[in-house]
Amino acid sequence: MVTVRPRRVRVVCWASAVTLLVVFSLVATSLTGATGDGYGSFQRGDQLAMVGLGVFGALGFLLFTRPRVVADARGVRVRNVISSYELPWEVIRGVRFDRGAPWASLELHDDDLLPMVALQAADKERAVEAVRALRRLHQAHLAALADLATPR
């Protein structure tokens, strides 16, 4: 079984989310008194709204920590930022990680490419090892199919 999550993107996203939340909280504490021309004043609700915006922004950053790939002898489960797929090995032609590509992808028999955002080039050797492990699982599945097709 192979389970992969991006490493560098997760670190950057968590740091960004915490920083954004801290900045919006600091801005919220500074919202006191009258506005620029004195026609209005900042209320407790304005401060809470700023903190709320920081929370929503931080959650937006944390969406990018969601990608994951889990593969076993039956198939591959790919969870990207928004979408998720569960594919048996039978529909997969190969695992691609083209030079210069930001992430690996699954090449399907219907000529579609399914990106695997969890296998990012930024993770360098870790991503390459994960692609090799996926290719080994795919080859094992193809070998098992060949054994079943061979008459005895």
Side-chain angles (χ1 to χ4, degrees):
M1 181 185 228
V2 176
T3 302
V4 183
R5 297 184 75 183
R7 178 171 286 160
R8 287 190 180 187
V9 167
R10 283 187 13 225
V11 170
V12 169
C13 286
W14 274 101
S16 299
V18 168
T19 302
L20 186 72
L21 191 56
V22 167
V23 167
F24 271 77
S25 297
L26 290 174
V27 168
T29 60
S30 70
L31 291 179
T32 58
T35 60
D37 290 334
Y39 292 115
S41 62
F42 291 111
Q43 305 293 319
R44 179 73 56 200
D46 299 320
Q47 292 174 326
L48 291 175
M50 285 304 289
V51 173
L53 286 174
V55 167
F56 281 120
L59 290 174
F61 277 128
L62 294 180
L63 269 178
F64 293 95
T65 65
R66 189 174 183 270
R68 175 185 301 185
V69 173
V70 178
D72 55 21
R74 292 178 305 199
V76 181
R77 286 170 296 289
V78 177
R79 185 171 71 186
N80 288 330
V81 174
I82 296 175
S83 58
S84 296
Y85 304 92
E86 188 166 345
L87 302 170
W89 287 114
E90 289 82 16
V91 301
I92 298 170
R93 182 182 300 155
V95 180
R96 293 176 54 167
F97 202 175
D98 299 331
R99 183 175 301 275
W103 45 69
S105 57
L106 293 174
E107 185 177 4
L108 306 180
H109 283 291
D110 64 359
D111 293 328
D112 278 344
L113 284 178
L114 176 67
M116 294 185 291
V117 179
L119 294 169
Q120 298 194 354
D123 289 334
K124 298 182 180 166
E125 193 59 37
R126 189 169 180 266
V128 171
E129 285 303 317
V131 168
R132 288 179 181 152
L134 287 173
R135 287 177 177 163
R136 283 192 297 270
L137 280 172
H138 187 240
Q139 289 301 320
H141 174 74
L142 293 176
L145 284 179
D147 285 348
L148 289 175
T150 313
R152 294 183 183 190

